[in-house]
Amino acid sequence: MIHLKSYQEKAVRSLVEGATELLQESKRRLPLLLKAPTGSGKTVVMAAFLDRFTRSIETDDTVRQKRYAFLWIAPMKLHEQSYKRLKGFYAEIRSLRPVQFDDVASGAMKANEILFVNWESINSEDNVLWRVNEQGRTIPDLVRRTKASGVEVIVVIDEYHLFAHNGTRSEVVLKALDARLEIAVTATPPQDFIGRTTNVGRMVKMTANEVIKAGMIKKGVRLNPDLDPAQQDGQTLDTVLLRTALARRKALQGEYSALGVNINPLLLIQLPNDSKSLNDEDRKKKDLVLQELENLSYTTANKRLAVWLSDGKDKINLEGLEEATSGVEVLLFKQAIAQGWDCPRAAVLLIYRELKQEQFSVQTVGRILRMPEQHHYERDELNYGYVYTNLSQSMIRIVAEDADYFSEHRAVRRAAYEDVMLELTADHVNTRLERNRLGAKYYRALEMAAQSYFGFVKDFTDAPAGSDATESPFVRNIRALQTQMIRTDVENIEVSVAANVEFDADEAYSKGGVEVDALHKVRFARMTPELEQAFWRFCGEQCGSYAKAESIPVMAADVKRLLLRYCNVDDAAAMKIVLEANNSLHFTELLAQSLEQHAKLQEEAALKRQQRVEEWKWNVPKERFYNSSVYAAQEGITQHILDPFYEAQDASRPERDFVRFLEEQSQYVAWWYKNGDSGREHFSVSYADTNGVLRLFFADFIVMLKSGCLCVFDTKTRDSDALAPAKHNALLDWATKRTSEGTITIGSVILPHGNGEIPVWKYSATSIANTSDTSTWRTLIFSGL
């Protein structure tokens, strides 16, 4: 069963809608584009799309043709990877059948089959799968026979940007195939294909921000951090880069250990591509790197080093390399693994350029973007990837696919700060959960998810305005299911099995199995014990990262309880409703949302139970990296303690106005700092929200006055934040305590007043109940502080 994140679910629905609309037209070769950034799970999305699409067209009368086969084209060996993954996806639901060329070469593709083909096998007229032969064992012949059998063909082109680079040949192939739809999957679609989708096709986007927010990939990439000329001490730059990258990997390992997470981060070292054009100096690079690694006790013999080079003989210690706890700490590779390789523990990338190369594209950055456990960590260092390279930044050309991830803006703390060194006491709320299993709170999470996803109501008071007051909640909830095309009259859940099949044992063994056609399959209704087993397997597939042994019984019981409570159906009927093929897709999404809700309830409960705040000493960071797609440098800013000042492109009007106000107060302001909004590297104080749950408050501005007074402010507008009073009062308590210890400190939410170009700012020296009544607030005048 395919489990989708919310952004993936949205993309699948859009793809189904787009494909269905396009197929209502009579034209051929209509383009459908899935723009999917690195780490977004494009293969999972496409698998779910194809499954849902083939099911939906069976009942959609607007679609002209209801029988489709799919030709999946991918570069290099990605077709094998995709074939294996989709074969696993469809093993249980069996809505589609992944096949390889030898499975169908002499006949035709059947409806709902997906044939996986390597682009390099058809990119030339002389290639075996394209060259005309007497047996008709070519892709064009296979497609013609498939169409003649009444099955239409849809082409899926994975990593389309690589396919499109072949120019005329790509068009020759697509024209010969003459598919109903051409579905392109890529992170960097060429402009001509985007133009086609604008004119006659459809485009579906998954954005990098969606993927980052879901915790699937890292927040960004930091380029050459901690690279200091003072470390050179007679060493070559290549050696300094290597040692710095190794130190970063070790530091990340320490961060994981501090969290109690058993992950061994991996450093990737990419050597120059081993083409025949390399000169002797480039050829020596590998030997020099290996020697330096050996000097530092990284060798293939002690299995701290793995080697994956493209010449075949140099492939050492690769078994289990992708495992989170693998003992391999460094992988030395060339271009061979840049496309398609997946190792979520990879965290640091060191790239050595070829000596003759004036520029290069950082195309392998995707290998270090994935989060190993598909969520972000409390220690923000673990939420970034790290790239080291021996090219100056002016020579680096970052490909469009990777541009969103690079934190290439770097700001450095000014020397003036060294005279102060605030050492502020900051808070951190420990939100780590000790138990990773579903428990007593899960039913409430499931109930909340069902109310949101299905629109379930407990009684008439929950029903929307205008509902029939005489209608029972049971009837209303059943109708809510039926509105989403969920069958509630399921009498049997059937299983298809082979029957009356004769075969030769030797032939079956040589072919690796026996293919059973529809005439030799019979369907049996699952009995109650079998239903229970199937239902438990379904729940086990939906448990995500929760411990299955403890969580499956809880989920299974609570789903039955939910349907009994809201729809008045017994256990047997509940299992049949959930397991029905089309229904199960909806319940998969429901359970995914219930797990997200459960995590929130679990966190809130843990926070209430622990009520534990950790304190540590915080200083303005020595350096800070800013994502260039989110932040922009602001000229003329002289008082910000990090130089230069990078401002968020979506900064609020009050934040921008207060920056201008601070800069105009330079006779009183020694320096100021724009704080971040999450992560341990930024200043925060704890407060309790309306439910009594401890949260962290990251105030916007830290301002050091020349008088020695420290001000911590957070910009708001009237009634813009319901939690503003709680945040203000916590900040006020923190400032009052610091003042009592001998350092004058002001902490407050501040509001703009007036309609002038630069407003007057108000702050409160006392606790507040709201931000609408400011009659007792003071005007912010730095000369008096």
Side-chain angles (χ1 to χ4, degrees):
M1 193 60 66
I2 303 172
H3 173 67
L4 300 176
K5 298 283 187 180
S6 58
Y7 73 90
Q8 294 172 329
E9 172 65 28
K10 182 174 70 173
V12 169
R13 291 177 181 175
S14 297
L15 285 168
V16 172
E17 179 182 331
T20 304
E21 289 179 356
L22 290 174
L23 289 173
Q24 293 173 15
E25 302 182 22
S26 58
K27 298 178 181 178
R28 306 189 67 80
R29 296 192 59 194
L30 291 170
L32 177 61
L33 170 63
L34 174 61
K35 188 175 185 296
T38 297
S40 59
K42 60 181 176 61
T43 305
V44 173
V45 169
M46 285 300 299
F49 155 64
L50 293 178
D51 171 66
R52 205 169 301 180
F53 168 74
T54 54
R55 295 178 188 276
S56 67
I57 60 175
E58 294 175 0
T59 57
D60 192 334
D61 294 333
T62 66
V63 179
R64 297 168 180 268
Q65 166 67 270
K66 301 185 185 301
R67 302 178 68 217
Y68 291 92
F70 304 89
L71 179 61
W72 185 299
I73 303 173
M76 293 170 278
K77 294 186 177 181
L78 280 183
H79 71 299
E80 295 178 0
Q81 180 178 308
S82 298
Y83 168 75
K84 292 175 182 177
R85 293 193 67 184
L86 267 67
K87 194 170 184 180
F89 289 147
Y90 300 135
E92 178 71 19
I93 56 179
R94 302 181 185 279
S95 57
L96 293 106
R97 178 175 175 254
V99 297
Q100 295 178 307
F101 184 71
D102 287 343
D103 299 327
V104 294
S106 299
M109 287 188 286
K110 298 181 177 65
N112 297 349
E113 284 187 334
I114 312 173
L115 171 60
F116 292 83
V117 175
N118 168 240
W119 163 243
E120 285 73 17
S121 67
I122 59 174
N123 66 357
S124 170
E125 292 288 347
D126 295 328
N127 287 350
V128 174
L129 294 189
W130 199 266
R131 187 175 64 239
V132 176
N133 58 61
E134 294 180 358
Q135 295 78 26
R137 290 175 57 88
T138 70
I139 293 296
D141 288 328
L142 175 64
V143 169
R144 279 192 292 272
R145 289 193 296 268
T146 301
K147 293 177 183 177
S149 72
V151 176
E152 268 290 5
V153 175
I154 292 175
V155 172
V156 176
I157 309 145
D158 197 6
E159 303 293 351
Y160 180 83
H161 57 287
L162 297 178
F163 178 86
H165 286 170
N166 291 274
T168 304
R169 180 58 192 173
S170 301
E171 177 59 22
V172 168
V173 169
L174 291 176
K175 188 174 182 179
L177 297 176
D178 193 31
R180 281 286 276 122
L181 294 182
E182 294 174 0
I183 304 176
V185 183
T186 177
T188 54
Q191 285 301 316
D192 62 335
F193 198 91
I194 293 177
R196 287 180 62 199
T197 62
T198 303
N199 295 329
V200 293
R202 299 288 186 277
M203 178 164 61
V204 177
K205 294 182 183 179
M206 295 189 290
T207 67
N209 283 337
E210 288 177 318
V211 184
I212 291 170
K213 286 180 180 179
M216 295 284 285
I217 60 177
K218 295 181 172 71
K219 294 180 179 180
V221 174
R222 293 175 175 173
L223 187 63
N224 285 344
D226 307 322
L227 193 61
D228 186 354
Q231 300 170 341
Q232 190 157 10
D233 192 26
Q235 303 174 99
T236 65
L237 173 59
D238 287 351
T239 299
V240 173
L241 281 166
L242 175 59
R243 290 176 178 253
T244 306
L246 288 168
R248 172 61 63 176
R249 192 216 68 81
K250 186 174 182 180
L252 294 176
Q253 185 178 23
E255 295 290 342
Y256 280 121
S257 298
L259 292 176
V261 177
N262 191 14
I263 291 175
N264 188 24
L266 181 67
L267 164 62
L268 308 179
I269 302 178
Q270 182 180 0
L271 295 175
N273 195 25
D274 61 340
S275 65
K276 295 180 180 179
S277 63
L278 292 181
N279 57 31
D280 290 340
E281 292 299 320
D282 277 335
R283 296 180 194 280
K284 292 178 182 177
K285 183 75 69 177
K286 168 190 167 185
D287 295 335
L288 292 173
V289 171
L290 284 173
Q291 183 59 57
E292 183 63 26
L293 286 169
E294 184 177 351
N295 294 341
L296 298 170
S297 300
Y298 294 90
T299 67
T300 54
N302 64 20
K303 297 190 176 181
R304 297 179 71 190
L305 172 67
V307 177
W308 189 347
L309 303 182
S310 56
D311 51 9
K313 62 182 179 181
D314 285 337
K315 293 185 178 180
I316 308 169
N317 294 335
L318 299 184
E319 185 175 355
L321 180 66
E322 297 86 356
E323 298 296 325
T325 57
S326 168
V328 174
E329 299 174 23
V330 181
L331 170 65
L332 195 65
F333 75 103
K334 294 186 180 178
Q335 292 285 3
I337 67 165
Q339 190 71 45
W341 183 63
D342 188 12
C343 182
R345 73 181 182 99
V348 186
L349 174 64
L350 170 57
I351 304 176
Y352 288 117
R353 71 178 180 93
E354 299 170 14
L355 292 182
K356 290 183 178 180
Q357 193 176 19
E358 294 182 357
Q359 286 190 330
F360 75 101
S361 297
V362 185
Q363 296 172 330
T364 48
V365 68
R367 307 285 74 79
I368 60 169
L369 280 178
R370 290 170 173 80
M371 292 301 297
E373 296 181 300
Q374 296 190 351
H375 66 80
H376 293 149
Y377 298 99
E378 291 178 2
R379 294 178 179 261
D380 212 41
E381 292 84 353
L382 298 173
N383 299 327
Y384 286 85
Y386 299 86
V387 173
Y388 295 87
T389 176
N390 56 354
L391 278 181
S392 66
Q393 187 161 337
S394 62
M395 298 175 70
I396 295 174
R397 178 170 56 87
I398 299 168
V399 295
E401 174 184 356
D402 303 329
D404 287 345
Y405 307 117
F406 265 82
S407 303
E408 56 185 357
H409 291 330
R410 176 174 178 258
V412 179
R413 193 171 70 192
R414 298 176 191 267
Y417 186 82
E418 306 299 327
D419 298 330
V420 182
M421 292 301 290
L422 289 179
E423 294 288 331
L424 297 183
T425 299
D427 292 343
H428 173 69
V429 177
N430 189 341
T431 60
R432 191 167 170 220
L433 305 177
E434 297 178 357
R435 298 171 59 176
N436 186 39
R437 61 188 183 190
L438 299 181
K441 292 180 176 58
Y442 177 66
Y443 179 74
R444 176 56 185 149
L446 178 62
E447 192 175 43
M448 294 168 70
Q451 290 168 358
S452 172
Y453 185 68
F454 289 142
F456 278 179
V457 297
K458 284 184 179 179
D459 50 46
F460 189 73
T461 59
D462 294 334
S467 298
D468 185 355
T470 64
E471 183 180 66
S472 76
F474 296 143
V475 173
R476 174 175 174 76
N477 293 332
I478 288 289
R479 194 171 69 252
L481 292 177
Q482 293 170 345
T483 300
Q484 297 197 38
M485 306 303 293
I486 294 175
R487 286 184 55 197
T488 57
D489 59 343
V490 184
E491 294 183 2
N492 291 308
I493 296 296
E494 297 180 331
V495 59
S496 177
V497 297
N500 304 314
V501 179
E502 294 184 12
F503 60 92
D504 182 86
D506 292 335
E507 181 182 358
Y509 180 81
S510 65
K511 291 182 177 179
V514 177
E515 182 176 349
V516 181
D517 59 32
L519 296 177
H520 290 89
K521 293 180 182 178
V522 293
R523 302 181 70 83
F524 283 84
R526 295 185 189 270
M527 297 296 100
T528 299
E530 296 171 315
L531 270 179
E532 288 282 2
Q533 293 175 2
F535 188 66
W536 273 57
R537 280 199 303 271
F538 176 80
C539 292
E541 291 165 351
Q542 313 312 318
C543 280
S545 61
Y546 289 95
K548 287 183 170 51
E550 296 90 350
S551 301
I552 291 175
V554 175
M555 179 177 283
D558 284 351
V559 170
K560 295 175 185 176
R561 177 184 171 193
L562 176 81
L563 291 176
L564 175 63
R565 172 68 180 80
Y566 283 84
C567 300
N568 197 30
V569 298
D570 61 23
D571 287 358
M575 291 188 292
K576 292 175 183 178
I577 289 173
V578 172
L579 293 174
E580 197 277 332
N582 289 317
N583 294 357
S584 64
L585 299 174
H586 289 280
F587 281 94
T588 295
E589 175 61 19
L590 169 69
L591 295 179
Q593 292 185 16
S594 74
L595 293 185
E596 293 177 4
Q597 188 64 49
H598 179 263
K600 294 177 183 177
L601 295 177
Q602 195 178 28
E603 178 184 343
E604 291 177 0
L607 290 172
K608 286 181 179 178
R609 181 174 63 252
Q610 295 171 2
Q611 294 290 303
R612 188 172 80 247
V613 177
E614 299 174 357
E615 294 184 347
W616 85 100
K617 296 299 181 183
W618 177 87
N619 277 294
V620 174
K622 290 183 178 179
E623 62 180 4
R624 183 173 164 188
F625 294 88
Y626 297 83
N627 191 315
S628 60
S629 67
V630 179
Y631 292 86
Q634 302 299 309
E635 296 182 359
I637 303 297
T638 61
Q639 299 299 107
H640 192 252
I641 197 61
L642 293 188
D643 182 41
F645 171 57
Y646 293 102
E647 187 172 60
Q649 296 177 21
D650 62 352
S652 66
R653 174 65 183 273
E655 288 180 359
R656 293 177 187 272
D657 286 346
F658 194 65
V659 168
R660 295 166 60 199
F661 173 78
L662 291 172
E663 286 294 302
E664 292 193 353
Q665 299 289 315
S666 59
Q667 68 269 41
Y668 306 112
V669 175
W671 54 262
W672 59 274
Y673 174 64
K674 178 62 177 71
N675 195 32
D677 56 10
S678 66
R680 198 170 182 134
E681 72 272 28
H682 302 303
F683 175 74
S684 59
V685 296
S686 60
Y687 73 100
D689 66 14
T690 53
N691 295 318
V693 176
L694 286 178
R695 303 290 185 188
L696 290 178
F697 170 38
F698 295 83
D700 290 331
F701 294 92
I702 298 169
V703 184
M704 174 57 71
L705 301 183
K706 292 180 179 178
S707 65
C709 176
L710 179 74
C711 304
V712 182
F713 294 130
D714 192 72
T715 55
K716 301 289 184 188
T717 55
R718 289 176 183 265
D719 298 324
S720 62
D721 182 357
L723 292 174
K727 296 175 181 178
H728 167 87
N729 295 337
L731 184 57
L732 177 66
D733 290 343
W734 173 85
T736 301
K737 179 182 178 182
R738 193 167 187 271
T739 299
S740 69
E741 294 171 350
T743 305
I744 298 175
T745 306
I746 295 175
S748 177
V749 164
I750 57 174
L751 303 177
H753 280 250
N755 299 318
E757 185 176 347
I758 297 182
V760 172
W761 293 91
K762 296 276 191 176
Y763 74 99
S764 177
T766 59
S767 61
I768 63 173
N770 57 66
T771 55
S772 56
D773 180 8
T774 59
S775 57
T776 62
W777 291 40
R778 302 177 182 179
T779 299
L780 181 59
I781 302 175
F782 286 143
S783 60
L785 300 177

